[in-house]
Amino acid sequence: MDQDKIRNFAIIAHIDHGKSTLADRILELTGAVSKRELHSQMLDSMELEQERGITIKMNAVKLNYKGYTFNLIDTPGHVDFSYEVSRSLAACEGAILLVDATQGIEAQTLANFYLALENDLEVIPVINKIDLPNSDVEKVSAELMDTFGFTKQEIILTSAKTGQGVEELLDRIIEKIPSPKVNKDSKLRALIFDSAFDPYRGVVVQLKVVDGKLRTGDKIRFMSNNASYDVVELGYSNPKINKVNEIDAGDVGYLCASIKNISDIKIGDTITLDNDPAKDILKGYVPMKSMVFSGIYPLETSEYNDLRDALEKLKINDASLEFTPETSKALGFGFRCGFLGLLHMDIIKERIEREFGINIIITSPSVIYKVTLTNGDIEEIDNPSKMPEKVKIAKIEEPYIKTSIFVPTEYIGQIMELCENKRGNFVNMDYINKTRVNIHYELPLSEIMYDFFDKLKSATKGYASFDYDFIGYKESDLVKMDILLNGEIVDALSMVVHKDFAYDLGKTMVNKLREIIPRQLFEVPVQASIGSKIIARENIKSLRKNVLAKCYGGDISRKKKLLEKQKEGKKRMKNIGSVEVPPDAFLQILSAKE
Amino acid sequence: MIKSVYIHIPFCNSICSYCDFCKFFYKKEWINKYLDSLKKEITDNYKGELIDTIYIGGGTPSSLDINELTKLFEIIKVFKLNNNYEFTIEFNVEDISSDKLELCKNNNVNRISIGVESFNKKHLNFLERNQDVNIKEKILLTKKYFNNINIDLIYALPNQSLKELEEDLDKYLELDIPHISCYSLILEEHTKLHNKNIKPINQDLDYDMYKLINNKLNEYNHYELSNYSKPGYESKHNLVYWNNEEYYGFGVGASGYINNIRYTNSKNIINYMNMKYSREEEIITKENNISYELILGFRKMSGININEFKKKYNIDIIDLYNIKELLNKKMLIIEDDNIFINKDYLYLSNEILVNFV
């Protein structure tokens, strides 16, 4: 194949700016699928998936246009997955930066643009949805020019919906995006940018051959862990699956090598030949690291094994999910799970409940704290209940992020107030134009875990968009706060909080628990403590009445049923010490922290 | 051996806001038909046992007129009464008249249960009961004919103060009646109150009211959770229920317990009047029976006699369920061969009884 005629590119955009519609239109215009097929194609795929239980969704599609080969590479759309986005972009030479003509630049527009720049991509700016009556091409053009330095001539105007401007865009791709720089004669190096699990073929690896050539039957090696496999199948999607015998330098495709465990495949890793390995791994590889941890427990203890099976099944398709067994005095047997971020955590939670039908309790999410002990040892703590005793701690560091909050200027005050309340340090503010700014704050990662998104939304009537980068660890004045029920620590409710916020939070938690936990036969103190110091206390009053006031001939069977119902209710309670706690109390307390 | 009979008269002249019993607006043309069906149900089922107690409840049995009541008593004559029998009929205050009382007296009735519920017009209005009748006068009239009288009181009403309850109790005490039933208001489904989304009062106040009742009625024998009596005036009929003994239940929606089956008649009055009475049945196994024995027996202050229990079931009661643990926790107490709920836990008795279902 003629490498000069290959164009590898991705579409990058803020959510809902029209990425999928544009991809569909490109598929249609390049003749990969007809308009009619566009739909039936998807249906066929789904039927096939159901029939054979395989995943044939391909994240890279090969298209032909005017004698050129286009490899359109899909990227995930959320900040939690920015590393995967960056590896997908690393397989490209160019990117289409799509901006909604009615919205303008948003937080992820910016984040994605910088990821593209880091990967030396040629960026083609496109303003989409120009057919909408409320589109403002002038304003959005100005934003693109001011923020990213594009010229007016570079910007293409499209309506992915009607197809207007899309052909011009395709021509521009040929003209502007460079062909891949290749070293055909160098030793094989291929970049892994995605993977999925297929029960019949094992792990399907999406890759771009950077140097050399990959052939069916090659014995390959993953450079991060030196695992080696024999290539069983190579191919590409157009979007039907096409098997090939080789993939040349500069080109994109998939590989199957009877790989059973998706955890063996690291996004960003380099494939080389086992008997003739390249010397250096391709730059940019970083092992995936969980940022957010929480305990997942089955609501019914009998569902522990089902929960483990569910997590194992989810991990088959999601190498970034980590879990290890843990026990909680309050919640019994469960798992400590690591996630890339909060969205990732939500996705996993949803899938466990929806796809596997298991009711779970998620403990409050925690970051990894770096704790320096007085003896100089450093411990990484991902579970607040495991925090060492206060006297043994020299200092605690916590992860910080830097925000990009895109917001109309009239909400600057609200945003700053919100961020200050979340222990934020103001960095600076970029004016995108006269009416919109990008506000940068440094915030502890832990502070955006509870209600930051909700508060952001309500403070700005939904006009804000938000993105963040992890910027490293900083020392903070943190303490472990415990919650005690009838004098016993409830490990699942322990949390690490800033000292200045502990009293208020302790009060809120204790109040909330008093409301949630029903009265018991005896008075139950609910306390919040730091070390041995009680910082908040409430009492759950003792139960005064639970009686069948009236019970005569006509009622007897009914009254017995009523008692049976009460007994069922008691069975569902979690016993914490001698206190009966309704199973949803944890969800309630954790979801309504403030 | 069945020794008790319950008869249900479902008709009422007005519907109370809290009532979830089987009841219908009084309809003259229904009464005769209903009584005919009742007669058939009784003759179909009654095996001629000697009867200790009869209880006519409702609904409002006193809503029947003199002729209808006469017909009812004719039907009831079929039961062979034992010596020392107790025969109760329920009356609404406004139905009390010399004629009706005399008719009752002449037909073996020896106990009247009067649904007073409250002496306070505001609360009577809330309960949707008649507020225009002189309660005291009616009760004094009743006393001319009967000495075995019960009055029902309802407390824990929304916006009721402790003081208002005390006034009700004082008015009751002034009348010097030998038996009183006091019920904390239950907001049952399918009642007007439930439909109006009325919420129960705070449980601390409810408990304080219960304590007030116990204090005010200290001259009475608090023999069952909700019942207080002068010595010798305990309701024999209700004790049959709480002693887990068998009884006939006749009439639409009535419940009975015969030959190890607890049954409830259908509430469909049209079918009933067409003499098609169907019933829901629960077969009582030995285990089930013990469960009922405990749930019902522990309603009585004297609780359950350990020896009689052993005779009946051939099991030591303290080996059952977690009774030993409850004794250790002093939630249950044994005294003089009787096991009963500690008075301090009586208002929490469900917390104990759930262990036995």
CSV table of all heavy atoms in Angstrom, one decimal, chain A residues 480-516:
chain,number,residue,atom,x,y,z
A,480,LYS,N,-8.8,12.1,59.9
A,480,LYS,CA,-9.7,11.0,59.7
A,480,LYS,C,-10.9,11.2,60.7
A,480,LYS,O,-10.7,11.4,61.9
A,480,LYS,CB,-9.1,9.7,60.0
A,480,LYS,CG,-10.0,8.5,59.9
A,480,LYS,CD,-9.4,7.3,60.5
A,480,LYS,CE,-10.4,6.1,60.6
A,480,LYS,NZ,-9.9,5.2,61.6
A,481,MET,N,-12.1,11.3,60.1
A,481,MET,CA,-13.3,11.4,61.0
A,481,MET,C,-14.0,10.1,61.0
A,481,MET,O,-14.3,9.5,60.0
A,481,MET,CB,-14.2,12.5,60.4
A,481,MET,CG,-15.4,12.8,61.3
A,481,MET,SD,-16.3,14.2,60.8
A,481,MET,CE,-17.2,13.5,59.4
A,482,ASP,N,-14.3,9.7,62.2
A,482,ASP,CA,-15.1,8.4,62.4
A,482,ASP,C,-16.5,8.8,62.8
A,482,ASP,O,-16.8,9.8,63.4
A,482,ASP,CB,-14.4,7.5,63.5
A,482,ASP,CG,-13.1,7.0,63.0
A,482,ASP,OD1,-13.0,6.6,61.9
A,482,ASP,OD2,-12.1,7.1,63.9
A,483,ILE,N,-17.4,7.8,62.5
A,483,ILE,CA,-18.8,7.9,62.9
A,483,ILE,C,-19.0,6.8,63.9
A,483,ILE,O,-18.7,5.6,63.5
A,483,ILE,CB,-19.8,7.9,61.8
A,483,ILE,CG1,-19.5,9.0,60.8
A,483,ILE,CG2,-21.2,7.9,62.3
A,483,ILE,CD1,-19.8,10.4,61.3
A,484,LEU,N,-19.5,7.1,65.0
A,484,LEU,CA,-19.8,6.0,66.0
A,484,LEU,C,-21.3,5.8,66.3
A,484,LEU,O,-22.0,6.8,66.4
A,484,LEU,CB,-19.1,6.3,67.4
A,484,LEU,CG,-17.6,6.4,67.4
A,484,LEU,CD1,-17.1,7.7,67.0
A,484,LEU,CD2,-17.1,6.0,68.8
A,485,LEU,N,-21.7,4.6,66.3
A,485,LEU,CA,-23.1,4.3,66.5
A,485,LEU,C,-23.1,3.5,67.8
A,485,LEU,O,-22.5,2.4,67.9
A,485,LEU,CB,-23.6,3.4,65.4
A,485,LEU,CG,-25.0,3.6,64.9
A,485,LEU,CD1,-25.4,5.0,64.8
A,485,LEU,CD2,-25.3,2.8,63.7
A,486,ASN,N,-23.8,4.0,68.8
A,486,ASN,CA,-23.8,3.4,70.1
A,486,ASN,C,-22.4,3.1,70.6
A,486,ASN,O,-22.1,2.0,71.2
A,486,ASN,CB,-24.6,2.1,70.0
A,486,ASN,CG,-25.1,1.7,71.4
A,486,ASN,OD1,-25.4,2.5,72.2
A,486,ASN,ND2,-25.4,0.4,71.6
A,487,GLY,N,-21.5,4.0,70.3
A,487,GLY,CA,-20.1,3.9,70.8
A,487,GLY,C,-19.2,3.1,70.0
A,487,GLY,O,-18.0,3.0,70.3
A,488,GLU,N,-19.7,2.5,68.9
A,488,GLU,CA,-18.8,1.7,68.0
A,488,GLU,C,-18.6,2.4,66.7
A,488,GLU,O,-19.5,2.9,66.1
A,488,GLU,CB,-19.5,0.3,67.7
A,488,GLU,CG,-19.2,-0.7,68.8
A,488,GLU,CD,-19.8,-2.1,68.4
A,488,GLU,OE1,-19.4,-2.6,67.3
A,488,GLU,OE2,-20.7,-2.6,69.1
A,489,ILE,N,-17.3,2.3,66.3
A,489,ILE,CA,-17.0,3.0,65.0
A,489,ILE,C,-17.6,2.2,63.8
A,489,ILE,O,-17.5,1.0,63.8
A,489,ILE,CB,-15.4,3.0,64.8
A,489,ILE,CG1,-14.8,4.0,65.8
A,489,ILE,CG2,-15.1,3.4,63.4
A,489,ILE,CD1,-13.3,4.1,65.7
A,490,VAL,N,-18.3,2.9,62.9
A,490,VAL,CA,-18.8,2.3,61.7
A,490,VAL,C,-17.8,2.5,60.6
A,490,VAL,O,-17.7,3.6,60.0
A,490,VAL,CB,-20.2,2.9,61.3
A,490,VAL,CG1,-20.8,2.2,60.1
A,490,VAL,CG2,-21.1,2.9,62.5
A,491,ASP,N,-17.0,1.4,60.3
A,491,ASP,CA,-15.8,1.6,59.4
A,491,ASP,C,-16.3,2.2,58.1
A,491,ASP,O,-15.5,3.0,57.5
A,491,ASP,CB,-15.0,0.4,59.3
A,491,ASP,CG,-15.8,-0.9,58.9
A,491,ASP,OD1,-17.0,-0.7,58.6
A,491,ASP,OD2,-15.3,-2.0,58.8
A,492,ALA,N,-17.4,1.7,57.6
A,492,ALA,CA,-17.8,2.1,56.2
A,492,ALA,C,-18.1,3.6,56.1
A,492,ALA,O,-18.2,4.2,55.1
A,492,ALA,CB,-19.1,1.3,55.8
A,493,LEU,N,-18.3,4.3,57.3
A,493,LEU,CA,-18.6,5.7,57.2
A,493,LEU,C,-17.4,6.6,57.6
A,493,LEU,O,-17.5,7.8,57.6
A,493,LEU,CB,-19.8,6.0,58.2
A,493,LEU,CG,-21.1,5.4,57.8
A,493,LEU,CD1,-22.2,5.7,58.8
A,493,LEU,CD2,-21.6,5.9,56.4
A,494,SER,N,-16.3,6.0,57.9
A,494,SER,CA,-15.1,6.8,58.2
A,494,SER,C,-14.7,7.6,56.9
A,494,SER,O,-14.8,7.1,55.8
A,494,SER,CB,-13.9,5.9,58.6
A,494,SER,OG,-14.2,5.3,59.8
A,495,MET,N,-14.2,8.8,57.1
A,495,MET,CA,-13.8,9.6,56.0
A,495,MET,C,-12.6,10.5,56.3
A,495,MET,O,-12.4,10.9,57.5
A,495,MET,CB,-14.9,10.4,55.3
A,495,MET,CG,-15.7,11.2,56.2
A,495,MET,SD,-17.0,12.0,55.2
A,495,MET,CE,-18.0,10.7,54.8
A,496,VAL,N,-11.8,10.9,55.3
A,496,VAL,CA,-10.7,11.8,55.5
A,496,VAL,C,-11.2,13.2,55.1
A,496,VAL,O,-11.7,13.4,54.0
A,496,VAL,CB,-9.5,11.4,54.7
A,496,VAL,CG1,-8.4,12.4,54.8
A,496,VAL,CG2,-9.0,10.0,55.2
A,497,VAL,N,-11.1,14.1,56.0
A,497,VAL,CA,-11.6,15.5,55.7
A,497,VAL,C,-10.6,16.5,56.2
A,497,VAL,O,-9.8,16.3,57.0
A,497,VAL,CB,-13.0,15.7,56.5
A,497,VAL,CG1,-14.1,14.9,55.9
A,497,VAL,CG2,-12.9,15.5,58.0
A,498,HIS,N,-10.8,17.7,55.6
A,498,HIS,CA,-9.9,18.8,56.1
A,498,HIS,C,-10.4,19.2,57.5
A,498,HIS,O,-11.5,19.3,57.8
A,498,HIS,CB,-10.0,20.0,55.1
A,498,HIS,CG,-9.0,21.0,55.3
A,498,HIS,ND1,-9.1,22.1,56.2
A,498,HIS,CD2,-7.7,21.1,54.8
A,498,HIS,CE1,-8.0,22.8,56.2
A,498,HIS,NE2,-7.2,22.2,55.4
A,499,LYS,N,-9.4,19.5,58.3
A,499,LYS,CA,-9.6,19.9,59.7
A,499,LYS,C,-10.7,21.0,59.8
A,499,LYS,O,-11.5,20.9,60.7
A,499,LYS,CB,-8.3,20.3,60.3
A,499,LYS,CG,-8.2,19.9,61.8
A,499,LYS,CD,-6.8,20.2,62.3
A,499,LYS,CE,-6.9,20.8,63.6
A,499,LYS,NZ,-5.6,21.5,64.0
A,500,ASP,N,-10.6,22.0,59.0
A,500,ASP,CA,-11.5,23.1,59.1
A,500,ASP,C,-12.9,22.8,58.8
A,500,ASP,O,-13.8,23.5,59.1
A,500,ASP,CB,-11.0,24.3,58.2
A,500,ASP,CG,-9.7,24.8,58.6
A,500,ASP,OD1,-9.2,24.5,59.8
A,500,ASP,OD2,-9.1,25.6,57.9
A,501,PHE,N,-13.1,21.7,58.0
A,501,PHE,CA,-14.4,21.3,57.6
A,501,PHE,C,-15.1,20.2,58.4
A,501,PHE,O,-16.2,19.9,58.3
A,501,PHE,CB,-14.4,20.8,56.1
A,501,PHE,CG,-14.1,21.9,55.1
A,501,PHE,CD1,-13.0,22.8,55.3
A,501,PHE,CD2,-14.9,22.0,54.0
A,501,PHE,CE1,-12.8,23.7,54.3
A,501,PHE,CE2,-14.6,23.0,53.0
A,501,PHE,CZ,-13.6,23.9,53.2
A,502,ALA,N,-14.2,19.6,59.3
A,502,ALA,CA,-14.6,18.4,60.0
A,502,ALA,C,-15.9,18.7,60.9
A,502,ALA,O,-16.8,17.9,60.9
A,502,ALA,CB,-13.5,17.9,60.9
A,503,TYR,N,-15.9,19.8,61.6
A,503,TYR,CA,-17.0,20.0,62.6
A,503,TYR,C,-18.3,20.1,61.9
A,503,TYR,O,-19.3,19.4,62.3
A,503,TYR,CB,-16.7,21.3,63.4
A,503,TYR,CG,-15.7,21.1,64.5
A,503,TYR,CD1,-14.4,21.2,64.2
A,503,TYR,CD2,-16.1,20.7,65.8
A,503,TYR,CE1,-13.4,20.9,65.2
A,503,TYR,CE2,-15.2,20.5,66.8
A,503,TYR,CZ,-13.8,20.6,66.5
A,503,TYR,OH,-12.9,20.4,67.5
A,504,ASP,N,-18.4,20.9,60.8
A,504,ASP,CA,-19.6,21.0,60.1
A,504,ASP,C,-20.1,19.7,59.5
A,504,ASP,O,-21.2,19.3,59.6
A,504,ASP,CB,-19.5,22.1,58.9
A,504,ASP,CG,-19.5,23.5,59.5
A,504,ASP,OD1,-19.9,23.6,60.7
A,504,ASP,OD2,-19.1,24.4,58.8
A,505,LEU,N,-19.1,19.0,58.9
A,505,LEU,CA,-19.4,17.8,58.2
A,505,LEU,C,-19.9,16.7,59.3
A,505,LEU,O,-20.9,16.0,59.0
A,505,LEU,CB,-18.2,17.3,57.5
A,505,LEU,CG,-18.4,16.1,56.6
A,505,LEU,CD1,-19.5,16.4,55.5
A,505,LEU,CD2,-17.2,15.7,55.9
A,506,GLY,N,-19.2,16.7,60.4
A,506,GLY,CA,-19.5,15.8,61.5
A,506,GLY,C,-21.0,16.0,61.9
A,506,GLY,O,-21.7,15.1,62.1
A,507,LYS,N,-21.3,17.2,62.1
A,507,LYS,CA,-22.7,17.6,62.5
A,507,LYS,C,-23.7,17.1,61.5
A,507,LYS,O,-24.7,16.6,61.8
A,507,LYS,CB,-22.7,19.1,62.6
A,507,LYS,CG,-23.1,19.6,64.0
A,507,LYS,CD,-23.4,21.1,63.9
A,507,LYS,CE,-23.5,21.8,65.2
A,507,LYS,NZ,-23.4,23.2,65.1
A,508,THR,N,-23.4,17.4,60.2
A,508,THR,CA,-24.3,17.1,59.1
A,508,THR,C,-24.5,15.5,59.1
A,508,THR,O,-25.7,15.1,59.0
A,508,THR,CB,-23.8,17.5,57.8
A,508,THR,OG1,-23.3,18.8,57.9
A,508,THR,CG2,-24.8,17.4,56.7
A,509,MET,N,-23.4,14.8,59.2
A,509,MET,CA,-23.5,13.3,59.1
A,509,MET,C,-24.4,12.8,60.3
A,509,MET,O,-25.2,11.9,60.1
A,509,MET,CB,-22.1,12.7,59.2
A,509,MET,CG,-21.3,13.0,58.0
A,509,MET,SD,-21.4,11.8,56.7
A,509,MET,CE,-20.7,10.4,57.5
A,510,VAL,N,-24.1,13.3,61.5
A,510,VAL,CA,-24.7,12.8,62.7
A,510,VAL,C,-26.2,13.1,62.6
A,510,VAL,O,-27.0,12.3,63.0
A,510,VAL,CB,-24.0,13.5,63.9
A,510,VAL,CG1,-24.9,13.5,65.1
A,510,VAL,CG2,-22.7,12.8,64.2
A,511,ASN,N,-26.6,14.3,62.2
A,511,ASN,CA,-28.0,14.7,62.0
A,511,ASN,C,-28.7,13.8,61.1
A,511,ASN,O,-29.8,13.3,61.3
A,511,ASN,CB,-28.1,16.1,61.5
A,511,ASN,CG,-28.3,17.0,62.7
A,511,ASN,OD1,-29.0,16.8,63.6
A,511,ASN,ND2,-27.6,18.2,62.7
A,512,LYS,N,-28.0,13.6,59.9
A,512,LYS,CA,-28.6,12.8,58.9
A,512,LYS,C,-28.8,11.3,59.4
A,512,LYS,O,-29.9,10.8,59.2
A,512,LYS,CB,-27.6,12.8,57.7
A,512,LYS,CG,-28.2,12.2,56.4
A,512,LYS,CD,-28.9,13.3,55.7
A,512,LYS,CE,-29.8,12.7,54.7
A,512,LYS,NZ,-30.8,13.6,54.2
A,513,LEU,N,-27.9,10.8,60.1
A,513,LEU,CA,-28.0,9.4,60.6
A,513,LEU,C,-29.1,9.3,61.6
A,513,LEU,O,-29.9,8.3,61.6
A,513,LEU,CB,-26.7,9.0,61.2
A,513,LEU,CG,-25.7,8.4,60.3
A,513,LEU,CD1,-24.3,8.3,61.0
A,513,LEU,CD2,-26.1,7.0,59.8
A,514,ARG,N,-29.3,10.4,62.4
A,514,ARG,CA,-30.4,10.4,63.4
A,514,ARG,C,-31.7,10.3,62.7
A,514,ARG,O,-32.6,9.6,63.1
A,514,ARG,CB,-30.3,11.6,64.3
A,514,ARG,CG,-31.3,11.5,65.4
A,514,ARG,CD,-31.6,12.9,66.0
A,514,ARG,NE,-31.9,13.8,64.9
A,514,ARG,CZ,-32.1,15.1,65.1
A,514,ARG,NH1,-32.0,15.6,66.3
A,514,ARG,NH2,-32.5,15.8,64.1
A,515,GLU,N,-31.8,11.0,61.5
A,515,GLU,CA,-33.0,10.9,60.8
A,515,GLU,C,-33.3,9.6,60.1
A,515,GLU,O,-34.4,9.1,60.0
A,515,GLU,CB,-33.0,12.0,59.7
A,515,GLU,CG,-33.3,13.4,60.2
A,515,GLU,CD,-32.9,14.4,59.2
A,515,GLU,OE1,-33.0,14.1,57.9
A,515,GLU,OE2,-32.6,15.6,59.6
A,516,ILE,N,-32.2,9.0,59.6
A,516,ILE,CA,-32.3,7.8,58.8
A,516,ILE,C,-32.5,6.5,59.6
A,516,ILE,O,-33.3,5.7,59.3
A,516,ILE,CB,-31.1,7.6,57.9
A,516,ILE,CG1,-30.9,8.7,56.9
A,516,ILE,CG2,-31.1,6.2,57.2
A,516,ILE,CD1,-29.6,8.7,56.1
